């Protein structure tokens, strides 16, 4: 009798079809997708004991008997029936759905960007939603597995998804549905994976999703799925004016640990207003008085950001691992320094990097205005403002780089977490305060992410940093 290890813990359907089971309760998402009753999950402490006496005896005596067992029969030329066990076939649609659920939906403990999909598929699996899922899934699979035939199929499916989504948008009722907004978000995800430029195609879909959020109004926040979709679009386009109108109700519907996110978005709204003023001043009124006022506003906003970070509770804290004093803790990936961060969850590291990216952009605004004011006044105070901005940018960049190893060594980080890392890394590498060695490390990290995950944006952003990039996303420059 031989102990063969713990049995597979998924439901019966997932074990039979060789699919990854997320073991959600009361039903796993694979069963929800096809409207099947979930059988439940096996006890992980139950041992599977099999009588393998003959098999072990053969192994001890040599491989000869095994070879004879699997030798083709002289009469039929086919292997005996006992050797013809093959895994059940799966369709490409099953493979795509399994891929999407594995990399983008996540689990109850570690949710991905598309955690709302199971509910949409069980309540409103519209043609637009199904087509966009297939397009995005095929493109992602093609990049990860480097299979050109899947990329061609993804392009064809993307065309069908555009037609289906446009048809849904023409109907006043379906245009406001969760399913249609989910489809538009997935079209953006397809572009994110497929394109290596500066996300023009992705940005178009984000703007489309933002318009839909505005069209859907306050009612969209009355359901859990509607709130998830709203939050995801806001993550992609955080400073759009539409979110100011819906912010208060969204805040009321968040749990206690999510309240800091709402406070952070309040600060982003103020940054949006300041950015408009800075852009206008750069074109119309770049005087000493105007620059002094705008720099003062920007410095007060940065103080608010620092106060926000210091006010975060235990759920949002992270630890610093020192590999110099503890060499065994050094991960098998290139490090930016001898220390790196470990976080409690994907959402925590993503929020911190969003904060760091925001402060880098704000400090770039201050540095740029400080240089112009220094040229007009030539005072030591202006010089100090510029130097302080560069120091803050360097600190935020170092902290952002220290967060990268967590995405590779924690064992809990999902594919979408790496996607959220790309743009903050690009901003850090593109800022004027980036040191050459740090910029090169960021470029190599973006290339590593692009080559290991197949996300073309990683390769594209690394290419832009190598060739030099004008910081046209920095207000006032």
């Amino acid at each position: 009798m031989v102990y063969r290890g713990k049995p597979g813990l998924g439901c019966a359907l997932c074990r039979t079809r060789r699919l990854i089971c997320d073991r959600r309760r009361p039903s796993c998402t694979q069963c929800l997708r096809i409207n099947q009753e979930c059988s439940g999950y096996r006890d992980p402490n139950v041992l599977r004991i099999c009588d393998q006496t003959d098999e072990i005896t053969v192994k001890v005596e040599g491989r000869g008997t095994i070879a004879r067992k699997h030798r083709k029969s002289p009469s039929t030329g086919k292997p005996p029936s006992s050797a013809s066990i093959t895994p059940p076939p799966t369709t490409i649609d099953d493979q795509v759905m399994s891929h999407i659920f594995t990399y983008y939906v996540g689990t109850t403990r570690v949710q991905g960007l598309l955690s709302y999909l199971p509910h949409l598929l069980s309540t409103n699996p519209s043609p637009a939603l199904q087509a966009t899922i297939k397009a995005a899934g095929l493109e992602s699979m093609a990049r990860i597995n480097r299979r050109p035939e899947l990329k061609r199929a993804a392009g064809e499916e993307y065309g069908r998804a555009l037609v289906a989504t446009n048809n849904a948008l023409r109907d006043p009722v379906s245009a406001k549905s969760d399913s249609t907004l989910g489809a538009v978000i997935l079209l953006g995800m397809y572009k994110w994976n497929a394109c290596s430029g500066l996300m023009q195609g992705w940005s178009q879909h984000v703007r489309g999703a933002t318009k839909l959020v505005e069209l859907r109004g306050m009612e969209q926040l009355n359901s859990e799925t509607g709130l998830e979709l709203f939050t995801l679009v806001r993550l992609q386009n955080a400073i759009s004016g539409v979110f100011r109108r819906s912010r208060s109700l969204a805040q009321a519907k968040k749990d206690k640990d999510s309240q800091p996110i709402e406070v952070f978005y309040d600060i982003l709204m103020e940054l949006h207003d300041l950015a408009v003023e800075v852009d206008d001043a750069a074109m119309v009124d770049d005087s000493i008085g105007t620059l002094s006022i705008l720099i003062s506003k920007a410095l007060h906003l940065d103080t608010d950001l620092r106060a926000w970070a210091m006010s975060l509770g235990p759920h949002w804290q992270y630890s610093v691992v020192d590999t110099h004093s503890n060499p065994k803790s050094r991960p098998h990936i290139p490090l930016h320094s001898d220390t790196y961060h470990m976080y409690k969850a994907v959402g925590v590291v993503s929020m911190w990097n969003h904060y760091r990216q925001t402060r880098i952009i704000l400090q770039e605004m201050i540095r740029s205005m400080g240089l112009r004011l220094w040229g007009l006044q030539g005072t030591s105070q202006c010089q100090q403002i510029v130097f302080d901005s560069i120091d803050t940018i360097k600190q935020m960049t170092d902290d952002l780089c220290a967060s990268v190893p967590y995405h590779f060594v924690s064992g809990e980080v999902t594919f979408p977490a790496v996607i959220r890392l790309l743009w903050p890394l690009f901003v850090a590498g593109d800022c004027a305060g980036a040191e050459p060695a740090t910029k090169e490390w960021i470029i190599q990290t973006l290339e590593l992410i692009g080559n290991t995950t197949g996300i073309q944006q990683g390769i594209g952003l690394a290419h832009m940093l190598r060739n030099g990039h004008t910081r046209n996303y920095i207000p006032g420059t």
Side-chain angles (χ1 to χ4, degrees), residues 337-391:
S337 67
D338 287 334
T339 62
Y340 66 91
H341 299 166
M342 289 299 290
Y343 297 80
K344 290 183 172 64
V346 171
V348 175
V349 66
S350 297
M351 196 68 238
W352 273 108
N353 284 339
H354 201 16
Y355 158 80
R356 291 158 186 154
Q357 165 193 295
T358 301
R359 286 197 70 193
I360 289 173
I361 291 174
L362 179 58
Q363 288 294 334
E364 281 282 3
M365 292 166 56
I366 296 171
R367 187 194 65 84
S368 177
M369 291 188 294
L371 283 173
R372 298 203 299 275
L373 188 59
W374 190 5
L376 293 171
Q377 282 188 326
T379 64
S380 59
Q381 184 181 8
C382 297
Q383 185 183 42
Q384 191 61 48
I385 288 173
V386 173
F387 289 162
D388 288 346
S389 291
I390 292 174
D391 287 344

Side-chain angles (χ1 to χ4, degrees), residues 217-462:
M218 304 299 286
E219 294 79 9
Q220 66 189 303
L221 304 178
N222 292 333
S223 69
E224 184 177 346
T225 300
L227 187 59
E228 282 189 59
L229 290 165
F230 172 86
T231 303
L232 179 55
V233 177
R234 185 173 59 173
L235 176 68
Q236 296 175 334
N237 195 0
I239 58 176
S240 173
V242 62
F243 299 117
R244 188 186 303 276
R245 293 190 291 276
S246 303
R247 176 188 53 78
S248 58
L249 181 56
Q251 184 172 358
K253 291 178 178 292
K254 293 289 186 177
D255 57 40
K256 183 179 179 181
D257 286 335
S258 298
Q259 290 300 322
I261 299 177
E262 301 304 322
V263 176
F264 180 72
Y265 281 125
D266 284 346
I267 300 175
L268 283 182
M269 296 300 173
E270 295 182 48
L271 176 58
H272 171 261
D273 293 341
L274 177 63
V276 172
E277 289 187 68
V278 170
D279 273 334
D280 290 344
M283 292 185 294
V284 179
D285 180 16
D286 210 19
S287 64
I288 291 176
T290 301
L291 285 172
S292 299
I293 292 172
L294 292 176
I295 289 174
S296 178
K297 286 184 177 181
L299 289 172
H300 277 95
L301 201 56
D302 190 67
T303 300
D304 290 343
L305 283 167
R306 286 189 287 117
W308 173 85
M310 294 174 65
S311 71
L312 294 175
H315 172 77
W316 295 96
Q317 301 307 313
Y318 58 87
S319 59
V320 179
V321 181
D322 187 347
T323 61
H324 181 74
S325 58
N326 184 14
K328 291 184 179 180
S329 64
R330 193 174 188 87
H332 298 291
I333 63 169
L335 294 179
H336 179 250
S337 67
D338 287 334
T339 62
Y340 66 91
H341 299 166
M342 289 299 290
Y343 297 80
K344 290 183 172 64
V346 171
V348 175
V349 66
S350 297
M351 196 68 238
W352 273 108
N353 284 339
H354 201 16
Y355 158 80
R356 291 158 186 154
Q357 165 193 295
T358 301
R359 286 197 70 193
I360 289 173
I361 291 174
L362 179 58
Q363 288 294 334
E364 281 282 3
M365 292 166 56
I366 296 171
R367 187 194 65 84
S368 177
M369 291 188 294
L371 283 173
R372 298 203 299 275
L373 188 59
W374 190 5
L376 293 171
Q377 282 188 326
T379 64
S380 59
Q381 184 181 8
C382 297
Q383 185 183 42
Q384 191 61 48
I385 288 173
V386 173
F387 289 162
D388 288 346
S389 291
I390 292 174
D391 287 344
T392 301
I393 290 170
K394 184 180 183 304
Q395 182 61 56
M396 293 299 100
T397 298
D398 289 345
D399 287 346
L400 206 156
C401 292
S403 77
V404 171
Y406 170 77
H407 296 77
F408 294 90
V409 303
S410 71
E412 294 186 358
V413 177
T414 56
F415 192 72
V418 180
I419 294 178
R420 297 182 216 183
L421 179 62
L422 295 179
W423 183 250
L425 270 179
F426 174 77
V427 170
D430 195 41
C431 67
E435 298 177 347
T438 297
K439 183 174 181 177
E440 181 58 31
W441 185 88
I442 289 174
I443 289 172
Q444 292 178 7
T445 301
L446 288 170
E447 290 174 339
L448 173 66
I449 292 172
N451 289 325
T452 55
T453 66
I455 302 173
Q456 285 302 286
Q457 286 298 334
I459 305 295
L461 294 175

Side-chain angles (χ1 to χ4, degrees), residues 99-293:
H99 178 89
I100 287 290
F101 271 74
T102 300
Y103 286 100
Y104 293 97
V105 173
T107 63
T108 322
R109 182 177 180 183
V110 184
Q111 291 189 341
L113 281 177
L114 309 181
S115 57
Y116 56 84
L117 269 186
H119 177 74
L120 287 186
L121 286 170
S122 63
T123 58
N124 186 18
S126 66
L129 181 67
Q130 295 186 63
T132 52
I133 288 175
K134 189 170 183 180
L138 283 170
E139 180 62 36
S140 181
M141 288 170 60
R143 291 299 177 184
I144 292 177
N145 301 317
R146 288 167 171 74
R147 293 174 59 184
E149 73 279 9
L150 290 183
K151 182 167 181 60
R152 289 192 294 271
E156 295 171 359
E157 197 63 39
Y158 176 71
R160 287 190 280 269
L162 281 176
V163 172
T165 304
N166 286 331
N167 289 338
L169 290 171
R170 291 190 188 98
D171 182 86
V173 176
S174 65
K176 293 184 178 182
S177 70
D178 289 344
S179 186
T180 300
L181 179 56
V184 173
I185 292 172
L186 280 161
L187 289 174
M189 194 179 83
Y190 169 90
K191 280 295 185 181
W192 180 272
N193 281 329
C195 302
S196 58
L198 190 59
M199 302 171 287
Q200 288 90 347
W202 173 77
S203 299
Q204 290 176 357
H205 289 305
V206 171
R207 286 194 294 271
T210 303
K211 289 184 180 299
L212 279 183
V213 165
E214 186 172 12
L215 177 69
R216 284 155 56 89
M218 304 299 286
E219 294 79 9
Q220 66 189 303
L221 304 178
N222 292 333
S223 69
E224 184 177 346
T225 300
L227 187 59
E228 282 189 59
L229 290 165
F230 172 86
T231 303
L232 179 55
V233 177
R234 185 173 59 173
L235 176 68
Q236 296 175 334
N237 195 0
I239 58 176
S240 173
V242 62
F243 299 117
R244 188 186 303 276
R245 293 190 291 276
S246 303
R247 176 188 53 78
S248 58
L249 181 56
Q251 184 172 358
K253 291 178 178 292
K254 293 289 186 177
D255 57 40
K256 183 179 179 181
D257 286 335
S258 298
Q259 290 300 322
I261 299 177
E262 301 304 322
V263 176
F264 180 72
Y265 281 125
D266 284 346
I267 300 175
L268 283 182
M269 296 300 173
E270 295 182 48
L271 176 58
H272 171 261
D273 293 341
L274 177 63
V276 172
E277 289 187 68
V278 170
D279 273 334
D280 290 344
M283 292 185 294
V284 179
D285 180 16
D286 210 19
S287 64
I288 291 176
T290 301
L291 285 172
S292 299
I293 292 172

